[in-house]
Amino acid sequence: MLIVCISLYLLSNIAIGAWAARRVTTTQDFVLAGRGLSLALATSVTFATWFGSESIMGAPAKFVEGAPGGGVLSIIEEPFGSALCLFLVGAFFARPLYNEGITTFSDYFRVRYGRSAELMSALIVIPSYFSWIAAQYIAIGIVLNVVIGIPMAWGIVVSASIVMIYTLLGGMWSISITDFLHNLIIILALVVLAVVLYPQVGGIGGVVARMPAGFFQFLPSSNVPAAHEHGWATYLAAWMTIGLGSIPQQDIFQRVMSAKSASVSVRASYLASGLYLTVAALPLFIAVAARLLHPDLAGADEQSRQLIIPNMVMRHGSLPLQILFFGALTSAILSVSSGAILAPATVFGENIVKFFRPNLTDVRLLRTIRWAIVVISVICVGMTLGRSTSIFDLVGESSAFSLVSLFIPLAAGIYWKRANLPGCLWSIMLGFGVWLLCLWLGTSFPPMLWGLIASTVGMAVGSLFMGEKPRES
């Protein structure tokens, strides 16, 4: 019965995609849902930007890890950094970017700095999504392996095919409608599961009393376990990875820009931030409860701990609870996967193909984006099958790309009038280059902070001393 329900659920996504395809006639319809989403749909689709495998499997695995690495300080990046990112987007970026009337994040680089900046930003953005998509495919492969028992590789191929098909059909219209339905299921399932477990662990007080000292510590100090030995530098890097690094990304851009007005996009970002922080706390509580009630489920390595919640539901949950939870988990992962595939495909069509073929018709552009969705899906499936990295680490790897290279040019372009093309290009190249160098050297100070510092220096030096007159959008 569980297998039938999950299978029907997966197929229903294709049906929704086919229905949504009737509303797609232009590239704007496909990429930004015609800029027509209401506050409810805009909030839902923005909330679903990252609420997937890392929220329900990756972060809980880090959270319940034994000493010295677990606890609150191990999950600053997700969910706290993600909630911070959505809040900052609403506060500082949604309105000015929405008012530009552009289709992609890299379009802003063209308008503000010039065409060479557009191309360079696109070349950074596209590969940054591969790790993110791989994290979702790994998660869905794990889920189907636990639920149905099929090999993980086949689960990855099947789920990737389903996501690709319904994204191909309706684009952002498909994503926005399925996200709204997915979110209802996600929240309901997590609330039900948390309510069931709450009295069994003695409530919040019972959990706090049974966890080790310092487990819920929010700020680094001398009492923090050795895993956080670099103190404030590591702590700030964790906040910035997604908190700042995901701001200059196409997936959050296209979801926020799909709202029907600038005001709706701002309010949707704020609401999604609050929703993210509250809903993301539920899987953390569920994972801790699972560890306390069924310690045999907390494996010795992170790969095993990623399964703590799915295994608990499979072994100790009733059939209705299993259907609800695995439907919710599948929902969350599909939501993130679809947007993550559409984002680099859109940038490829809008900012790379059109860069070399500026007279490309809208029909051909839409066809190009759809073919890019297919190619990116195949690349990411191949990449997923060849890696065994943790979901949490894959997500952080993706956001670091844009943090060290694109965040400073974006923020400076909006809020510093003297920012110019040399500053933008030097900021991207220095930030990215220094980050890669520090990763290779294995510096104790977080490489992404070195990259962010270098990016800032590049912007300042290039804009102040390389003389080109700034371009204002």
Side-chain angles (χ1 to χ4, degrees):
M1 183 63 180
L2 177 59
I3 296 175
V4 172
C5 289
I6 297 297
S7 301
L8 289 175
Y9 179 80
L10 292 172
L11 293 175
S12 70
N13 285 275
I14 297 178
I16 292 172
W19 176 80
R22 299 181 302 172
R23 310 187 71 164
V24 176
T25 57
T26 67
T27 302
Q28 282 279 312
D29 292 334
F30 189 76
V31 175
L32 299 179
R35 291 182 181 268
L37 298 187
S38 64
L39 179 62
L41 282 177
T43 300
S44 175
V45 80
T46 304
F47 163 73
T49 305
W50 305 302
F51 195 84
S53 62
E54 65 277 16
S55 303
I56 301 180
M57 297 171 66
K62 288 283 187 182
F63 190 54
V64 301
E65 184 179 337
V72 171
L73 283 171
S74 67
I75 56 163
I76 294 298
E77 179 181 313
E78 163 68 37
F80 298 107
S82 298
L84 172 65
C85 178
L86 294 174
F87 178 84
L88 293 177
V89 166
F92 300 106
F93 297 94
R95 189 178 299 277
L97 290 175
Y98 191 97
N99 289 337
E100 292 286 349
I102 51 183
T103 303
T104 71
F105 162 76
S106 292
D107 285 347
Y108 177 78
F109 274 61
R110 181 188 67 248
V111 173
R112 180 63 175 85
Y113 295 113
R115 298 197 69 205
S116 55
E118 172 195 13
L119 181 62
M120 184 171 287
S121 68
L123 292 174
I124 293 288
V125 164
I126 291 173
S128 73
Y129 277 94
F130 294 166
S131 294
W132 193 285
I133 298 168
Q136 312 312 313
Y137 287 168
I138 288 174
I140 198 70
I142 290 172
V143 170
L144 294 180
N145 177 259
V146 170
V147 176
I148 302 177
I150 64 173
M152 185 172 166
W154 280 107
I156 289 170
V157 172
V158 169
S159 59
S161 300
I162 290 172
V163 172
M164 181 185 71
I165 290 170
Y166 85 77
T167 305
L168 275 173
L169 290 172
M172 185 52 72
W173 272 118
S174 292
I175 292 170
S176 61
I177 295 168
T178 53
D179 279 357
F180 184 77
L181 299 175
H182 290 170
N183 290 340
L184 294 178
I185 299 172
I186 292 167
I187 295 172
L188 176 62
L190 293 177
V191 168
V192 169
L193 191 53
V195 168
V196 169
L197 294 173
Y198 189 84
Q200 297 182 31
V201 294
I204 300 297
V207 169
V208 172
R210 296 164 68 180
M211 299 309 291
F215 188 83
F216 295 101
Q217 185 170 329
F218 192 74
L219 297 174
S221 73
S222 58
N223 298 322
V224 178
H228 311 290
E229 61 182 353
H230 302 303
W232 284 100
T234 302
Y235 183 73
L236 291 175
W239 276 103
M240 291 179 182
T241 301
I242 296 179
L244 300 183
S246 289
I247 291 175
Q249 285 281 13
Q250 176 63 19
D251 56 343
I252 181 64
F253 175 89
Q254 67 193 17
R255 290 171 184 262
V256 172
M257 296 303 112
S258 297
K260 64 182 181 180
S261 69
S263 297
V264 170
S265 71
V266 171
R267 283 184 286 159
S269 299
Y270 287 145
L271 289 172
S273 176
L275 193 62
Y276 199 100
L277 196 57
T278 52
V279 176
L282 294 174
L284 299 177
F285 169 77
I286 293 167
V288 170
R291 175 185 169 184
L292 294 175
L293 296 172
H294 309 287
D296 57 303
L297 297 179
D301 56 48
E302 189 170 341
Q303 298 289 336
S304 302
R305 285 191 295 274
Q306 290 176 159
L307 292 170
I308 186 169
I309 300 179
N311 279 335
M312 184 195 68
V313 175
M314 280 299 294
R315 297 182 191 179
H316 305 284
S318 62
L319 180 60
L321 185 60
Q322 290 175 5
I323 293 172
L324 191 61
F325 173 77
F326 285 107
L329 182 55
T330 307
S331 299
I333 298 170
L334 291 178
S335 295
V336 176
S337 302
S338 55
I341 294 169
L342 179 60
T346 302
V347 172
F348 176 78
E350 284 279 352
N351 305 112
I352 292 184
V353 174
K354 280 189 73 175
F355 181 89
F356 297 102
R357 299 182 62 189
N359 296 321
L360 192 70
T361 65
D362 192 72
V363 172
R364 289 185 178 274
L365 175 60
L366 183 56
R367 187 180 304 152
T368 299
I369 293 173
R370 280 179 160 145
W371 273 112
I373 289 172
V374 175
V375 173
I376 290 170
S377 296
V378 172
I379 290 173
C380 291
V381 167
M383 176 180 169
T384 304
L385 295 176
R387 297 186 66 172
S388 59
T389 311
S390 79
I391 293 169
F392 196 89
D393 291 340
L394 282 169
V395 171
E397 179 182 296
S398 173
S399 295
F401 260 78
S402 50
L403 172 64
V404 300
S405 56
L406 300 177
F407 174 74
I408 295 300
L410 174 65
I414 296 174
Y415 291 105
W416 189 35
K417 291 184 177 181
R418 296 194 63 175
N420 61 13
L421 178 60
C424 174
L425 298 180
W426 277 108
S427 180
I428 293 173
M429 292 186 294
L430 273 180
F432 196 69
V434 168
W435 173 61
L436 290 178
L437 177 63
C438 291
L439 285 176
W440 181 67
L441 293 174
T443 59
S444 58
F445 190 77
M448 70 179 64
L449 290 187
W450 280 125
L452 187 63
I453 293 169
S455 181
T456 305
V457 171
M459 172 57 72
V461 172
S463 298
L464 293 175
F465 301 108
M466 294 190 178
E468 180 184 289
K469 183 179 178 181
R471 297 173 53 164
E472 294 189 26
S473 58

